Amino acid sequence: MKNESKTGYEVIQDYVRRLESSPGVYRMLDADSRVLYVGKARNLKARVSNYARPSGHSGRIARMIADTASMMFLTTRTETEALLLEQNLIKQLKPKFNVLLRDDKSFPNILVAKDHAFPQIKKHRGAKKEKGAYYGPFASAGAVNRTLNQLQKVFLLRNCTDAMFSSRTRPCLLYQIKRCSAPCVGHISEADYAASVSDAERFLSGRSTNVQEKLAKEMQAASDDMEFERAAALRDRIRALTQVQSVQGINPRGTAEADVVALHMEGGQACVQVFFIRANQNWGNRDFYPRAGADIDEAEVLQAFLGQFYDGKEPPRQILLSHPIEDADLMAQALSEKAGRKVELLVPKRGEKAELVEGATRNARESLGRRMAESQAQTKLLRGLAEAFDLDNAPARVEVYDNSHIQGTNAVGAMIVAGPDGYMKNQYRKFNIRGDDLTPGDDFGMMKEVLTRRLKRLLKEDPDRSKGLWPDLMLIDGGAGQVSAVQEIMAELGVSDVPFVGVAKGIDRDAGKEEFHRPGARPFALRMNDPVLYFIQRLRDEAHRFAIGTHRAKRSKAVSATPLDEIAGVGATRKRALLAHFGSAKAVSRANLADLKAVEGISDTLAETIYDHFHEKG
């Protein structure tokens, strides 16, 4: 169904005449077939007919209708299916007029692995494929690390890998500082270690009082037996357990498992604060800033947030909301189907749950206030960039490039991105330098390769510049030579309208004496105390930090690489098996065919492939 000759409500009227009264999802598209909006409906004909009226719409909806050139429809069996499909499509397509959750990372968990006689406790993120018990989610990696750090003090569980565990001949430093019971060298029996694991799981399940009482009894018994060193160690473990609970702050007695979701809106911007309550413990909070607008109400923002936030996450048994949403029953049903158990949506008015929501709302209000203040300062600095470099408008997307290498080895390029909301870290990119013909340490050549790859990708992915991927300003680390190299690349690719500036450190290579180079213009400098200069220095430092970090990671990987990495069919698991069996890659290279076949997980065919890799056939 497509009508090229008209746009606006007249196009929508044509579709309404042919629509059925069934549940489903509709998409509104512009003249270039870009998705403007995705919505769901219990009755498609009735819902879409609301857009067919020439007046009576908010400014946002009126603009959306005016841009609509065609529509697409997908019918579903139920409205619940339509809701789930709608949120999935919104996340995929990111339509211009929908409320969008822009930051949607996964959350870490604590994993007590159960595939070893002495289970390991560790941080886990991603699919729950490993055998063991998962506890979470936690709001951030920092929240997990703090909890793990304290749990090690209390329960003395190992966090080393199985390979490290099996290779130990004496206790590691963690045993010396009383963070591990050293099961690797037999300092604790399997039964006693299992009891510690059980205590840790009881604590993570919310039964911390039982754990404290047990430790207190053990401490008293040790004291009565005059085992004062053991009693002191148990005292320290009780203190560490108390510290875990105090760090967590809010520990509600009557709320065992819930997400507290609170919204604050101001000036067309929104902040949603989410607190994770699990096992009667606060496992951290996180703020989100969904894309909203001045004419969108709280119910619509919160409903859109819930659908997108839980699209790839398991919902808890209760979700405590600061505002009611329109389709609360439908959302609860959809989340219950996803979780395979009942999920409740509540807007508490009194009691402990209401206090939790009030606290989260206060956090949302304060977070949004700070963000708006920072955004105003950032906008002012971006206007300053436009004035300094003669740009027509303040740049909405600034890309900064840097290289890192040691005498040409493990060379990488890095790109960071900044805009009105600060650093856009999900847009950062790293480039492994591939040029075999480059002279080691050739910064010009490396920058040319990075910019060539970047611009070619932009020309391929966003040729009409409609997705907001193109930079409004590029800052290059370097002077006239780098600028000349970039100018040459742009001429070759036919890109002439992207402003770029080379940032050189000046004669003495001191911060504050930077020189700026532009094509066809004399180098110039900014005043020493100019806020724009400080802003550029921060951007350059962030690019340098990202480039150095990427280079170190690549160098570390190269150091740990072995000849086994070059053999087809030898992945991480088989590599570990070979190294555990022979002790080193060198020993693998000297092994005979029969010995290779004896390694667990190595087939006869793969053994021959490994043998042939190290022994050329005569």
Side-chain angles (χ1 to χ4, degrees):
M1 298 186 200
K2 195 167 182 179
N3 192 326
E4 299 286 355
S5 60
K6 295 180 288 187
T7 60
Y9 71 91
E10 293 178 336
V11 171
I12 299 172
Q13 287 175 344
D14 290 340
Y15 285 106
V16 170
R17 297 187 188 100
R18 290 169 278 166
L19 275 176
E20 299 177 359
S21 300
S22 58
V25 173
Y26 59 92
R27 280 178 271 184
M28 307 173 84
L29 295 84
D30 66 11
D32 296 319
S33 297
R34 290 177 296 218
V35 179
L36 298 170
Y37 184 80
V38 175
K40 64 103 179 78
R42 179 186 295 112
N43 182 322
L44 279 172
K45 188 179 186 71
R47 181 73 183 90
V48 176
S49 64
N50 291 332
Y51 299 116
R53 294 182 283 107
S55 61
H57 305 289
S58 68
R60 178 178 67 102
I61 300 300
R63 291 193 302 273
M64 179 181 76
I65 293 172
D67 290 344
T68 299
S70 62
M71 296 186 72
M72 295 177 65
F73 303 93
L74 285 169
T75 58
T76 58
R77 291 178 299 173
T78 65
E79 191 181 4
T80 303
E81 286 184 9
L83 174 63
L84 295 172
L85 178 59
E86 174 201 34
Q87 300 305 330
N88 189 268
L89 287 173
I90 289 172
K91 287 183 68 174
Q92 286 183 33
L93 302 173
K94 296 179 171 55
K96 179 179 178 180
F97 290 96
N98 280 96
V99 175
L100 290 182
L101 174 57
R102 291 178 284 193
D103 182 10
D104 189 32
K105 295 179 181 177
S106 62
F107 294 96
N109 292 266
I110 285 178
L111 168 62
V112 181
K114 297 294 181 67
D115 56 355
H116 196 280
F118 294 94
Q120 173 194 14
I121 186 168
K122 62 181 179 179
K123 178 174 63 181
H124 178 87
R125 193 191 291 269
K128 297 178 180 179
K129 295 180 179 179
E130 293 186 53
K131 183 180 179 182
Y134 293 86
Y135 299 92
F138 288 78
S140 64
V144 171
N145 292 336
R146 284 192 297 273
T147 303
L148 283 175
N149 185 42
Q150 297 298 331
L151 288 177
Q152 280 184 274
K153 293 180 182 178
V154 178
F155 303 108
L156 309 180
L157 303 184
R158 72 178 182 95
N159 65 356
C160 59
T161 63
D162 291 349
M164 183 178 291
F165 180 91
S166 61
S167 66
R168 298 298 303 183
T169 57
R170 59 181 182 177
C172 67
L173 181 62
L174 288 177
Y175 173 75
Q176 308 296 337
I177 62 174
K178 297 181 174 58
R179 298 288 182 88
C180 181
S181 52
C184 54
V185 292
H187 281 19
I188 185 173
S189 69
E190 187 174 331
D192 288 343
Y193 189 87
S196 295
V197 171
S198 180
D199 285 344
E201 292 192 277
R202 274 201 293 272
F203 172 78
L204 289 169
S205 299
R207 290 171 286 171
S208 56
T209 304
N210 295 341
V211 176
Q212 282 179 304
E213 289 175 354
K214 178 185 175 186
L215 291 175
K217 288 178 181 177
E218 290 180 12
M219 182 180 70
Q220 186 61 49
S223 178
D224 293 343
D225 294 338
M226 291 192 290
E227 296 179 10
F228 298 118
E229 187 174 344
R230 172 172 164 74
L234 288 165
R235 178 202 62 200
D236 293 341
R237 291 172 66 182
I238 293 171
R239 285 179 177 173
L241 191 57
T242 304
Q243 175 68 14
V244 176
Q245 294 165 326
S246 64
V247 166
Q248 288 169 341
I250 306 167
N251 290 299
R253 294 175 179 271
T255 307
E257 178 184 330
D259 284 351
V260 185
V261 183
L263 167 69
H264 179 73
M265 295 184 67
E266 185 178 336
Q269 297 187 50
C271 176
V272 178
Q273 190 83 205
V274 182
F275 278 76
F276 299 93
I277 307 296
R278 298 293 186 275
N280 296 96
Q281 302 169 40
N282 171 25
W283 283 356
N285 61 295
R286 181 89 171 268
D287 49 6
F288 299 87
Y289 300 92
R291 189 185 75 192
D295 59 349
I296 303 178
D297 61 20
E298 286 91 347
E300 184 177 353
V301 173
L302 204 53
Q303 179 161 318
F305 175 84
L306 292 175
Q308 294 172 53
F309 183 74
Y310 291 111
D311 182 56
K313 301 177 182 68
E314 183 178 344
R317 297 182 185 279
Q318 287 188 338
I319 300 173
L320 310 181
L321 303 177
S322 60
H323 298 79
I325 61 175
E326 290 182 5
D327 299 319
D329 292 341
L330 181 65
M331 181 66 71
Q333 183 181 345
L335 295 178
S336 298
E337 288 184 10
K338 178 185 285 290
R341 51 176 166 71
K342 185 178 180 181
V343 175
E344 290 184 293
L345 298 182
L346 303 174
V347 185
K349 299 299 182 184
R350 61 182 66 86
E352 181 186 74
K353 291 182 171 62
E355 291 175 5
L356 290 172
V357 171
E358 183 182 348
T361 304
R362 183 175 61 254
N363 273 269
R365 182 171 58 251
E366 293 171 356
S367 295
L368 184 59
R370 287 192 298 270
R371 182 180 175 89
M372 291 175 71
E374 291 167 1
S375 179
Q376 289 174 1
Q378 186 83 353
T379 301
K380 185 176 180 180
L381 289 170
L382 291 171
R383 286 200 298 266
L385 274 183
E387 293 174 8
F389 300 137
D390 296 329
L391 306 179
D392 294 334
N393 299 295
R397 182 185 177 100
V398 180
E399 294 184 356
V400 190
Y401 294 85
D402 195 8
N403 297 323
S404 183
H405 61 90
I406 294 180
Q407 296 181 340
T409 62
N410 300 312
V412 295
M415 176 191 86
I416 68 143
V417 185
D421 294 329
Y423 295 123
M424 302 159 64
K425 295 195 174 184
N426 62 338
Q427 298 288 309
Y428 285 17
R429 296 292 180 266
K430 58 186 178 182
F431 302 83
N432 288 314
I433 304 299
R434 302 170 182 163
D436 298 328
D437 57 342
L438 290 179
T439 304
D442 179 5
D443 286 332
F444 292 168
M446 284 189 279
M447 187 59 72
K448 287 181 71 172
E449 178 179 330
V450 168
L451 266 296
T452 298
R453 286 163 57 185
R454 173 62 180 156
L455 292 171
K456 282 184 176 179
R457 190 179 187 94
L458 285 172
L459 289 168
K460 179 181 179 181
E461 293 184 352
D462 192 10
D464 57 359
R465 308 196 183 189
S466 61
K467 299 179 181 178
L469 301 178
W470 283 81
D472 300 308
L473 174 66
M474 295 195 304
L475 298 179
I476 313 296
D477 183 51
Q482 300 284 28
V483 168
S484 177
V486 175
Q487 194 172 13
E488 183 181 324
I489 295 163
M490 289 191 165
E492 290 175 1
L493 297 176
V495 178
S496 58
D497 56 347
V498 177
F500 61 95
V501 177
V503 183
K505 289 185 178 178
I507 299 174
D508 299 323
R509 301 185 65 79
D510 288 337
K513 296 184 178 180
E514 287 83 354
E515 288 186 344
F516 302 99
H517 297 257
R518 292 181 298 166
R522 292 174 61 85
F524 69 99
L526 295 173
R527 296 191 319 274
M528 288 282 289
N529 61 349
D530 192 328
V532 175
L533 176 60
Y534 296 144
F535 180 47
I536 294 171
Q537 289 171 352
R538 291 199 302 273
L539 291 174
R540 189 190 60 199
D541 290 346
E542 172 68 2
H544 190 60
R545 179 202 64 78
F546 184 58
I548 287 288
T550 304
H551 167 71
R552 285 175 178 163
K554 185 177 181 181
R555 191 174 73 228
S556 176
K557 186 176 180 181
V559 167
S560 63
T562 74
L564 301 176
D565 296 323
E566 303 170 6
I567 305 174
V570 177
T573 303
R574 287 170 176 160
K575 178 181 171 182
R576 283 196 298 269
L578 288 165
L579 292 175
H581 187 90
F582 292 104
S584 68
K586 194 169 188 178
V588 176
S589 70
R590 293 173 176 172
N592 60 45
L593 188 57
D595 289 339
L596 289 170
K597 290 180 179 180
V599 179
E600 185 178 355
I602 304 298
S603 65
D604 291 352
T605 303
L606 182 56
E608 292 176 5
T609 301
I610 297 169
Y611 185 84
D612 292 343
H613 178 81
F614 293 111
H615 302 82
E616 292 186 10
K617 293 183 178 180

